[in-house]
Amino acid sequence: PTLVQQLLDVQTHPAKPAYDMASETALVLQDCKFSQLTLGRTVRNLWDVTKVLEQRWESHAIAAERANDALGSMKDRTEVRWTDVENFVEQIARDRSRKEKKRMKGGSSDD
């Protein structure tokens, strides 16, 4: 109860918290132990599940290879000047400073 009260205190926390996005990969519990549960596995069920999982694996493997090829191509064909890196870092620092000032004033950040 006190934690909830602290989090709802707008004087202590004037802006929304900055959370990272959760992974789009769902949490899957694959090896749960249920001593009183017996799963019926037939040859047909195993065949169907195997087929679906292999298709899913193939799809993801192809997508991963395409992404890897795109990254490799981009790295091979891109030249970055040091001044561009410096300008990028300075811009990021300015953006963070602006967001921090806005947050301290009680506004929300636009992450």
Side-chain angles (χ1 to χ4, degrees), residues 6 15 19 22 27 42 44-45 49 58 67 71 75-76 89 96-98 101 106:
Q6 290 173 4
Y19 295 117
L27 173 63
T42 65
R44 180 64 187 191
N45 289 346
V49 169
E58 183 179 352
L71 285 169
K75 289 176 184 177
D76 292 343
V89 170
R96 286 185 178 171
S97 177
R98 179 183 51 81
K101 287 178 185 174

Side-chain angles (χ1 to χ4, degrees), residues 26-46:
L27 173 63
V28 178
L29 303 175
Q30 290 180 301
D31 193 18
C32 298
K33 304 290 183 199
F34 297 102
S35 59
Q36 297 176 346
L37 178 65
T38 303
L39 299 175
R41 294 184 174 139
T42 65
V43 172
R44 180 64 187 191
N45 289 346
L46 291 172

